Amino acid sequence: MVVSGSIARWSLERPYIHSQTTWPLTTAPLSSSSPPLTLSLSLFLSFSPNMASLIGVSSIYQTPTLELYHRPNATSTSSVRLQCLDSKSHFSNLLRAHRHSPGPTFKTGLKPTPTFLPSAVATPNSSLLSEEAFKGLGRHFDQTDHDFQDASDSHSAEPINSDELDISKLDLPSRLVDSLQSRGITQLFPIQRAVLVPALQGRDIIARAKTGTGKTLAFGIPVIKGLTEDGDESSFRRSGRLPRVLVLAPTRELAKQVEKEIKESAPYLSTVCVYGGVSYVSQQSALSRGVDVVVGTPGRIIDLINGKSLKLSEVQYLVLDEADQMLAVGFEEDVELILENLPSQRQSMLFSATMPAWVKKLARKYLNNPLTIDLVGDEEEKLAEGIKLYAIAATATSKRTILSDLVTVYAKGGKTIVFTQTKRDADEVSLALTNSITSEALHGDISQHQRERTLNGFRQGKFTVLVATDVAARGLDIPNVDLIIHYELPNDPETFVHRSGRTGRAGKQGTAILLYTSSQRRTVRSLERDVGSKFEFVSSPAMEEVLESSAAQVVATLTGVHPESIQFFTPTAQKLIEEQGTTALAAALAQLSGFSRPPSSRSLITHEQGWTTLQLTRDSGDRRYFSARSVTGFLSDVFSSAADEVGKIHIIADERVQGAVFDLPEEIAKELLTKDIPPGNTVSKITKLPPLQDDGPPSDFYGKFSDRERSNRRGSTSRGGFSSRGGFASRDRRGFKTSRGWDEEDSDDDFSDRSSRRGGRNFKSGGNSWSRAGGNKSSGDDWLIGGRRSSRPSSSDRFGGACFNCGESGHRASDCPSSSNRRSFF
Ligand SMILES: Nc1ncnc2c1ncn2[C@@H]1O[C@H](COP(=O)(O)OP(=O)(O)OP(=O)(O)O)[C@@H](O)[C@H]1O
């Protein structure tokens, strides 16, 4: 059968780097039933003698193949998509060659017309290379290619040949391979594979990949290979040798981490980390002994250059890690000064999550025809795969109550990082948690030494919850963090991605939970759009879940009890079991779980202790209007104390159900449940909230910024992105550039406290009074009818609710003028 307007897709079978373009395809006959053809890449190579790098790549990774797909329903304006290795220049060569060649004749007779449309490959940085990370290794087309999604799904590729990724088969120095293998690193990750070949060819590179996907070794492996092959044993020991690699990182923690990764991968090289806040002299003497790799923050590097302790004249490799963050913390001048001091003959690699104007300028000015390797793309999900996202509505007060429950249920004994906006919150939240869970705070007011102790303790599992400001959001690589809790909304989507990226690293699974107040619901939706991921909106864990998880964790710890200790307790255990059976063991578990007393009841709406959430529903046949006032009316008639004490009331968002959920003090709720309930109504205690109607005016702001603050900030910088924070921070901080410590790097932190004094806290307390029972209501808080502190008149006074019987306000059903209705009611 002849299909007009079919689409041919050519792709490398293993497109670990690919460029894309389109060019017109003359309609060609193609059998709709023909399977995809597999053609050898040598078809292409034979067109172009200029494809050296392509040949180089294919010889390392074995010959990739091309596949031809067709899509029967495509229109005649269809195009051929060619995905090929390497950069635009090679790609152009390929196409140029193709233009003068007859082109391949496929068995089916399909023959593309080789007319190259240059605009189709135009991307901001000469080439756009893309790839699906991890899971997508075997797939052919990137996810932005919606047109082809189905086709690619239906033609899943053969599993990738592991030789192509196997670090022992990539001609790397054996001692590098040995040390990587001893760390369990045996296969390249996608960004490493994408960077390796062009980096080994000496190309300048701009790269972007998702959090935790191995960017450090992406530049680390080629740089170490270069250094190792350039020198012999004696050159690595020569005293006073000058650094050949310079890595710039925006924070001390990140610099230390990069140093650690390089040291562990190449212990035979001398790697020195330099940053502020610690002794200058020890860094000076380390440099004077001779060094191969210097990793550091720009501020201290400038100080060392000025003090003539650091000479950059032999630097061959420059790496700028987290370049956009340099801008955000106000290091742009320092970075440029350092780059001016470097030899012009060098290779530069720049890693950046976003490309604000300054980073583009850097690339233009200091990089030589850079190759851009972007494994994220514009449309794709920005979070690493394997991170499960939840969103939980909470009030400012209830967040504290539910935090330990979230840790218990979602981290299951593993490590958690809780992100707060302010240093004060980090301290307070950590302190509050310590009653039940081991926890420490990390922020810019803590001394450098203490911060290092804290991070080490967390790494080693000495405590399980780290409560941190955004200083820990970027770059920190702590193994096995299972759970991230955004205690407050981040300032922008990038911060959300970086905070969340502390889990789900190196292809592992992780969970991130966003706590939001009802007024932030719209922001949560825009966050979903900005990061390209969906949250699962869930309630905070029910007490049953918390108890179950606690018990499971206690049981898990039992396996760690030494057998000799068990022997001591066995006789008592036997006696207990004989006397009490399983009750004895259950009591022990309850005690060890921290529940020696039964957990007090807790509101499902506000999560506050001492409250019980009940549900009132009316028969579906009852057509009267149901509102929050109907609830108070009902309560006044059934049990007036309940009407006095009722807390939050929410109407159920289900057209088929006439009803509401509401909070009562625990004891009152118990009593209400013993009362006679009028026929046609049901009152019950619930353990999970049904879907509820919206309960307040939406707002649209991230983190601590009020609408006004955000619009001010937007006025001076770009939209809601990281750069806006950067612009703000750098402008504010310019005067402080001499004292370079964490505090300087920790602009977000400093800013957080300033903002809380200026408005952040006010805003929060404003939010509180808006949502809390008994507070001054703003418009929209129409569910708050009762008052916890009973600011409302008592039931014997003027009645503010609506009659449950007739729906009119101002009287109770018991006082309803319609006596017939009243009778039917009771
Ligand atoms: N090929 C590999 N195999 C196994 N583990 C790896 C590999 N490459 C890197 N890792 C490990 O993965 C973790 C994450 O790497 P790295 O810190 O470089 O990620 P990143 O992309 O820089 O993250 P972020 O953007 O958050 O800074 C590290 O613990 C690293 O040792």
Side-chain angles (χ1 to χ4, degrees):
M1 182 182 133
V2 173
V3 180
S4 71
S6 55
I7 280 187
R9 282 174 61 145
W10 305 354
S11 80
L12 290 172
E13 192 161 332
R14 296 175 187 96
Y16 51 91
I17 313 175
H18 58 245
S19 289
Q20 297 177 350
T21 191
T22 59
W23 77 89
L25 170 71
T26 44
T27 304
L30 188 66
S31 162
S32 63
S33 58
S34 51
L37 302 172
T38 300
L39 304 163
S40 163
L41 181 66
S42 60
L43 272 174
F44 277 101
L45 295 179
S46 67
F47 298 147
S48 169
N50 298 326
M51 298 296 289
S53 70
L54 199 55
I55 295 166
V57 171
S58 66
S59 66
I60 289 178
Y61 294 122
Q62 299 181 345
T63 306
T65 57
L66 296 168
E67 280 196 1
L68 176 69
Y69 294 121
H70 65 90
R71 197 172 66 167
N73 298 330
T75 67
S76 58
T77 54
S78 302
S79 59
V80 165
R81 176 173 287 260
L82 174 70
Q83 298 182 301
C84 83
L85 289 171
D86 219 317
S87 69
K88 180 184 169 189
S89 56
H90 295 124
F91 193 48
S92 306
N93 288 336
L94 168 69
L95 293 167
R96 247 198 314 280
H98 200 156
R99 201 176 305 162
H100 301 299
S101 79
T105 305
F106 302 122
K107 281 185 207 146
T108 53
L110 179 67
K111 188 176 170 187
T113 307
T115 313
F116 178 41
L117 301 178
S119 60
V121 271
T123 64
N125 296 291
S126 82
S127 59
L128 176 67
L129 310 176
S130 183
E131 177 178 64
E132 296 178 64
F134 298 107
K135 188 173 97 184
L137 279 173
R139 294 178 64 176
H140 292 225
F141 301 96
D142 85 29
Q143 290 173 327
T144 59
D145 182 19
H146 301 300
D147 282 352
F148 292 100
Q149 193 69 52
D150 293 346
S152 82
D153 284 343
S154 62
H155 295 287
S156 61
E158 287 165 26
I160 189 135
N161 183 337
S162 60
D163 281 1
E164 298 176 7
L165 302 167
D166 187 336
I167 55 164
S168 65
K169 304 213 165 105
L170 298 176
D171 197 23
L172 298 173
S174 58
R175 42 189 174 168
L176 169 60
V177 172
D178 290 346
S179 50
L180 289 174
Q181 282 178 338
S182 68
R183 299 174 55 209
I185 297 172
T186 54
Q187 304 262 305
L188 289 185
F189 281 169
I191 183 69
Q192 296 159 357
R193 196 173 56 159
V195 167
L196 185 64
V197 172
L200 292 180
Q201 289 166 350
R203 291 290 305 265
D204 279 6
I205 287 170
I206 299 171
R208 179 163 86 132
K210 292 175 182 178
T211 55
T213 55
K215 292 187 282 292
T216 315
L217 282 180
F219 63 78
I221 291 175
V223 161
I224 293 169
K225 177 175 156 81
L227 288 194
T228 311
E229 288 174 351
D230 280 358
D232 54 26
E233 211 42 59
S234 62
S235 68
F236 295 132
R237 285 199 291 268
R238 193 165 40 84
S239 166
R241 65 194 184 281
L242 298 181
R244 284 176 292 159
V245 180
L246 179 67
V247 183
L248 298 182
T251 66
R252 300 169 193 179
E253 270 64 23
L254 191 55
K256 280 186 71 69
Q257 221 166 262
V258 171
E259 178 212 24
K260 183 169 169 279
E261 192 92 25
I262 294 180
K263 261 190 172 156
E264 286 177 359
S265 307
Y268 49 92
L269 297 176
S270 162
T271 304
V272 171
C273 189
V274 297
Y275 51 85
V278 289
S279 161
Y280 184 88
V281 178
S282 60
Q283 294 174 357
Q284 235 173 356
S285 64
L287 291 172
S288 68
R289 281 197 293 274
V291 60
D292 302 300
V293 181
V294 169
V295 185
T297 52
R300 179 55 66 94
I301 286 176
I302 296 266
D303 292 345
L304 288 162
I305 294 173
N306 290 342
K308 311 249 179 289
S309 308
L310 177 59
K311 297 193 175 69
L312 302 177
S313 54
E314 291 188 15
V315 167
Q316 297 164 14
Y317 304 95
L318 164 77
V319 178
L320 264 165
D321 205 3
E322 308 267 10
D324 51 351
Q325 177 75 349
M326 301 277 192
L327 173 70
V329 296
F331 274 142
E332 63 266 46
E333 284 168 24
D334 291 349
V335 168
E336 290 190 49
L337 202 61
I338 293 166
L339 297 192
E340 297 287 348
N341 270 274
L342 292 175
S344 54
Q345 281 300 312
R346 62 162 197 273
Q347 183 178 5
S348 307
M349 291 184 239
L350 181 154
F351 287 73
S352 194
T354 55
M355 291 294 283
W358 176 73
V359 178
K360 282 190 190 145
K361 181 186 124 190
L362 271 193
R364 263 197 313 275
K365 197 164 162 194
Y366 299 103
L367 270 60
N368 174 23
N369 183 29
L371 171 70
T372 302
I373 297 173
D374 181 356
L375 299 200
V376 181
D378 283 341
E379 307 295 329
E380 292 178 39
E381 179 176 327
K382 302 290 186 288
L383 282 177
E385 290 174 30
I387 303 178
K388 177 93 187 95
L389 291 183
Y390 293 101
I392 297 180
T395 63
T397 1
S398 69
K399 281 180 185 177
R400 297 235 166 142
T401 327
I402 61 173
L403 194 57
S404 60
D405 291 354
L406 293 177
V407 172
T408 306
V409 171
Y410 287 92
K412 302 203 185 305
K415 292 189 191 119
T416 301
I417 304 180
V418 178
F419 282 104
T420 64
Q421 282 287 6
T422 67
K423 301 170 198 177
R424 194 182 333 172
D425 276 353
D427 284 333
E428 287 176 9
V429 168
S430 165
L431 202 65
L433 270 179
T434 313
N435 292 331
S436 50
I437 294 169
T438 51
S439 151
E440 297 225 6
L442 182 80
H443 56 69
D445 276 355
I446 292 171
S447 75
Q448 177 63 23
H449 287 299
Q450 180 54 43
R451 284 201 299 263
E452 282 171 22
R453 268 200 299 277
T454 301
L455 278 176
N456 284 339
F458 189 52
R459 277 203 172 90
Q460 292 159 12
K462 290 186 179 157
F463 61 96
T464 53
V465 180
L466 181 72
V467 186
T469 54
D470 285 330
V471 290
R474 274 194 177 228
L476 277 193
D477 180 47
I478 296 163
N480 304 326
V481 173
D482 298 293
L483 176 64
I484 299 300
I485 298 178
H486 301 265
Y487 190 76
E488 274 136 23
L489 251 57
N491 290 336
D492 46 56
E494 282 79 14
T495 306
F496 177 80
V497 169
H498 284 286
R499 282 176 170 188
S500 304
R502 299 314 99 207
T503 187
R505 298 179 70 74
K508 298 200 177 98
Q509 302 288 312
T511 303
I513 299 176
L514 180 73
L515 297 180
Y516 67 98
T517 59
S518 54
S519 61
Q520 291 169 329
R521 192 165 299 152
R522 214 165 75 190
T523 314
V524 178
R525 291 290 182 202
S526 42
L527 190 59
E528 282 188 322
R529 282 192 297 277
D530 288 339
V531 302
S533 307
K534 286 268 175 232
F535 289 103
E536 190 176 324
F537 287 79
V538 292
S539 312
S540 60
M543 195 40 79
E544 291 71 18
E545 288 176 88
V546 177
L547 294 172
E548 202 178 300
S549 295
S550 299
Q553 280 162 38
V554 168
V555 170
T557 62
L558 296 182
T559 55
V561 180
H562 198 281
E564 281 178 29
S565 301
I566 295 175
Q567 278 176 17
F568 287 116
F569 290 87
T570 308
T572 316
Q574 267 164 351
K575 190 162 167 266
L576 268 180
I577 287 170
E578 278 159 24
E579 288 169 8
Q580 299 177 23
T582 49
T583 311
L585 189 54
L589 289 178
Q591 173 71 31
L592 287 170
S593 307
F595 289 99
S596 54
R597 297 185 59 76
S600 72
S601 171
R602 188 183 299 171
S603 157
L604 297 176
I605 304 169
T606 65
H607 317 291
E608 284 180 48
Q609 289 198 337
W611 293 80
T612 301
T613 304
L614 301 181
Q615 178 171 296
L616 166 68
T617 50
R618 211 152 63 174
D619 271 1
S620 55
D622 193 332
R623 298 256 162 236
R624 284 169 303 152
Y625 177 67
F626 191 90
S627 72
R629 284 165 187 261
S630 316
V631 178
T632 48
F634 167 83
L635 292 177
S636 310
D637 287 312
V638 175
F639 181 31
S640 62
S641 309
D644 289 344
E645 296 294 331
V646 68
K648 285 266 190 179
I649 303 173
H650 283 262
I651 302 297
I652 296 172
D654 182 343
E655 282 171 4
R656 293 159 305 172
V657 178
Q658 285 232 58
V661 296
F662 58 97
D663 277 350
L664 281 178
E666 195 175 356
E667 291 308 315
I668 305 259
K670 273 188 195 152
E671 215 174 325
L672 176 70
L673 291 173
T674 64
K675 303 277 181 203
D676 285 338
I677 301 299
N681 301 283
T682 312
V683 176
S684 56
K685 187 175 169 190
I686 53 172
T687 53
K688 269 217 170 335
L689 285 178
L692 302 175
Q693 287 183 13
D694 219 350
D695 64 340
S699 66
D700 189 8
F701 50 84
Y702 279 101
K704 58 189 174 275
F705 302 116
S706 66
D707 283 333
R708 202 179 52 205
E709 277 172 311
R710 279 175 68 79
S711 64
N712 287 345
R713 288 155 67 79
R714 271 195 197 117
S716 60
T717 52
S718 63
R719 180 201 162 264
F722 203 60
S723 54
S724 71
R725 190 156 57 100
F728 193 91
S730 63
R731 205 177 44 242
D732 249 23
R733 307 188 60 75
R734 234 160 230 162
F736 306 101
K737 293 201 68 112
T738 45
S739 71
R740 298 178 205 290
W742 171 292
D743 287 337
E744 182 165 357
E745 290 148 13
D746 184 13
S747 61
D748 205 23
D749 247 316
D750 287 341
F751 178 70
S752 296
D753 275 353
R754 278 202 306 278
S755 105
S756 70
R757 281 192 288 277
R758 279 191 326 220
R761 289 253 174 212
N762 288 344
F763 160 71
K764 266 199 279 176
S765 61
N768 261 347
S769 65
W770 179 84
S771 64
R772 278 183 63 86
N776 294 328
K777 286 185 288 166
S778 70
S779 64
D781 190 13
D782 44 347
W783 312 133
L784 182 63
I785 306 297
R788 297 224 172 130
R789 312 281 172 262
S790 218
S791 59
R792 207 171 69 75
S794 83
S795 60
S796 56
D797 299 326
R798 204 157 30 89
F799 179 60
C803 173
F804 191 70
N805 198 23
C806 69
E808 293 289 317
S809 56
H811 67 266
R812 298 184 175 81
S814 52
D815 303 326
C816 184
S818 163
S819 55
S820 60
N821 282 349
R822 206 164 113 208
R823 267 196 300 279
S824 75
F825 183 56
F826 291 99

